[in-house]
Amino acid sequence: MLMKRRVVITGMGVISPIGNDLATFRENLKKGTCGKDSEGFPVIDGRKLPPVFRVKNFNPKRHGTHLLDPLIQYAVDAAEQAVADAHFDLTSVDPYSVGLSVSSSKGGVCTLDRFQERFLRHPSAIMGARMYTSAVPNFADQWIARRMKIRGPARCYVAACATGAAALIAGFRVVSEGAAEYCLAGATDASITPLMLAGYYNMKALAKNVIRPFDKRRDGFLVGDGAGVLFLETLESAKARGIRIYGEILESAQGQDVTHPIHFDLKDHALSYTLKVLMERASLTPKEIDYISLHGTGTKQGDLYETLEIKEAFGKGAYRIPMSSTKGMTGHMLGATGAVEIIATLLAMQEGFIPPTVGLEEKDPQCDLDYTPRKMREHSVRTAVKISLGFGGQVKAIAFRKI
């Protein structure tokens, strides 16, 4: 039988459209700051695409990764922040005792976009190799390992927009089951390229101008970039070090909707099933949940599905639980979104507030839960649940508890 140890988060690092460090991110999260760019993306095929949420004022030369894809740059910086925030000296432990679970939803599409035409004009094996070393989803993980001399077990799960949550679940299992004593877990994405945006536009997934989760006028999401990385260790280790603990990972659950590559089936109940499994594993009741961090992309079908499934899982108890989506502030950071939203959840838990759902002004009558519209609310959060959904039917749910 595998051992099961209590796992806590003691360090966090973030790169996002509303802040490239934990303090700035926390401040803008509380303010309800929208990180949307003032201008849209350049015209493609005669069509001006909707605005995006870029990372701003990021120094790509800080860690010497400026020649690599932005997703690697963001991941390395966020990992460095997480280790520093945990006040952890990696050189003081066996490098095989530290694991890594850092991934991306699609790899280095910025690099592919950057070198594509140049390679077609002047084919070069060296250029092809350079493209490859930035393009594969697990190379952010590998660059962190190289810089930090980490030699422990590696996990790199790709789950579309649920990648960040999948990465944390994998890291949680690594430490809980004793495969490693410590783990850096999270996700990164840099997807603001003509190809990616045109694809989402053609899917009719993009909003015209504003992300409005659960609003009756909602019409889609807008793309953001960034990364979130968390430092995991056992509760015993954290107590022995006397370090601040953001929260404990109680349990996790995962599900799959098999009906459509993009949409979730209202009759399939993949999310409600996953939530019920999570509650059973964590020995929780709906009355004990103080906050739910929603996926909340602002799409017509997605927000309704999430609302109905929460009510299916929790019954009337769903109406008393404060919840919110932070994508109106950060944009939809795709693979990174789950990791960054987990960081927001843990900050809310530590400081006693519910992040706002920015963009929600006129609630959809069918979306009738407590989504914390527009402004944050002071509220004690001892137990929280994070929901992440991804194209391809990916469903992830994680429960956290304040220590």
Side-chain angles (χ1 to χ4, degrees):
M1 178 181 289
L2 291 173
M3 61 194 299
K4 184 177 178 181
R5 307 185 296 181
R6 294 176 69 181
V7 180
V8 297
I9 295 111
T10 56
M12 303 193 294
V14 63
I15 301 294
S16 80
I18 60 169
N20 298 333
D21 58 76
L22 210 55
T24 305
F25 179 75
R26 178 195 293 113
E27 180 182 355
N28 285 323
L29 191 69
K30 287 184 170 182
K31 288 181 180 177
T33 301
C34 178
K36 183 177 70 175
D37 288 17
S38 57
E39 297 181 3
F41 202 79
V43 173
I44 299 177
D45 291 336
R47 299 177 180 178
K48 186 175 177 62
L49 295 181
V52 293
F53 287 66
R54 289 186 175 89
V55 170
K56 304 163 188 67
N57 303 315
F58 177 78
N59 180 6
K61 295 186 177 181
R62 181 179 176 191
H63 300 294
T65 55
H66 52 284
L67 297 180
L68 303 171
D69 194 270
L71 78 88
I72 297 175
Q73 298 171 23
Y74 300 156
V76 167
D77 197 297
E80 295 275 2
Q81 289 182 45
V83 172
D85 187 45
H87 298 283
F88 193 80
D89 180 5
L90 286 169
T91 65
S92 69
V93 299
D94 181 350
Y96 290 94
S97 71
V98 185
L100 270 172
S101 178
V102 178
S103 192
S104 163
S105 72
K106 64 186 69 65
V109 292
C110 288
T111 294
L112 296 177
D113 180 71
R114 177 184 173 192
F115 285 104
Q116 174 185 236
E117 290 188 10
R118 192 191 308 181
F119 181 82
L120 290 175
R121 289 196 305 269
H122 305 288
S124 162
I126 293 176
M127 189 181 300
R130 185 174 172 186
M131 292 169 65
Y132 181 82
T133 55
S134 274
V136 184
N138 70 307
F139 269 78
D141 184 292
Q142 202 264 348
W143 273 98
I144 294 169
R146 287 177 63 182
R147 285 183 55 83
M148 297 185 174
K149 311 301 182 187
I150 293 172
R151 298 181 180 274
R155 303 285 187 270
C156 189
Y157 295 106
V158 177
C161 307
T163 295
L168 187 74
I169 291 171
F172 164 55
R173 298 297 179 200
V174 163
V175 178
S176 176
E177 296 169 3
E181 296 300 312
Y182 317 96
C183 188
L184 282 166
T188 179
D189 252 336
S191 306
I192 300 176
T193 68
L195 178 64
M196 290 294 102
L197 293 178
Y200 292 126
Y201 181 88
N202 194 52
M203 290 179 197
K204 302 187 186 304
L206 296 183
K208 292 183 175 63
N209 189 53
V210 180
I211 302 178
R212 301 183 185 278
F214 308 100
D215 192 288
K216 67 180 183 181
R217 299 164 297 166
R218 66 188 184 279
D219 60 349
F221 62 79
L222 298 173
V223 177
D225 281 352
V229 177
L230 303 95
F231 187 84
L232 281 53
E233 59 186 298
T234 64
L235 176 60
E236 292 76 13
S237 170
K239 285 183 174 180
R241 295 200 304 119
I243 191 67
R244 171 214 49 234
I245 296 173
Y246 288 107
E248 178 182 5
I249 305 172
L250 284 179
E251 257 302 346
S252 64
Q254 304 183 69
Q256 177 81 46
D257 184 310
V258 300
T259 55
H260 195 276
I262 297 175
H263 302 298
F264 285 81
D265 191 333
L266 296 174
K267 298 179 182 178
D268 193 68
H269 299 306
L271 175 55
S272 58
Y273 171 80
T274 302
L275 288 171
K276 289 174 183 177
V277 171
L278 175 69
M279 300 297 282
E280 182 177 352
R281 287 180 179 172
S283 299
L284 287 175
T285 66
K287 290 182 179 179
E288 295 175 280
I289 300 174
D290 302 307
Y291 172 59
I292 300 176
S293 174
L294 300 166
H295 192 61
T297 59
T299 60
K300 281 285 186 185
Q301 196 266 1
D303 288 1
L304 177 60
Y305 171 80
E306 196 168 6
T307 298
L308 294 176
E309 285 294 275
I310 289 171
K311 291 192 284 189
E312 174 72 20
F314 299 148
K316 293 182 179 179
Y319 287 93
R320 58 155 294 277
I321 306 172
M323 53 192 78
S324 66
S325 165
T326 58
K327 288 183 174 64
M329 293 180 273
T330 65
H332 190 347
M333 301 167 70
L334 304 173
T337 201
V340 173
E341 289 163 3
I342 287 166
I343 290 172
T345 299
L346 292 165
L347 290 173
M349 182 177 291
Q350 183 190 44
E351 301 197 7
F353 72 97
I354 306 297
T357 300
V358 171
L360 173 53
E361 297 172 350
E362 299 180 39
K363 186 187 287 188
D364 183 337
Q366 290 185 287
C367 296
D368 56 351
L369 298 177
D370 179 3
Y371 308 109
T372 319
R374 298 183 300 281
K375 295 182 180 180
M376 75 93 166
R377 180 193 317 163
E378 292 185 0
H379 186 76
S380 176
V381 180
R382 294 202 58 80
T383 304
V385 169
K386 171 64 197 153
I387 293 169
S388 281
L389 306 173
F391 286 171
Q394 298 292 308
V395 181
K396 316 292 177 186
I398 311 172
F400 302 90
R401 176 171 58 197
K402 187 174 183 178
I403 297 291

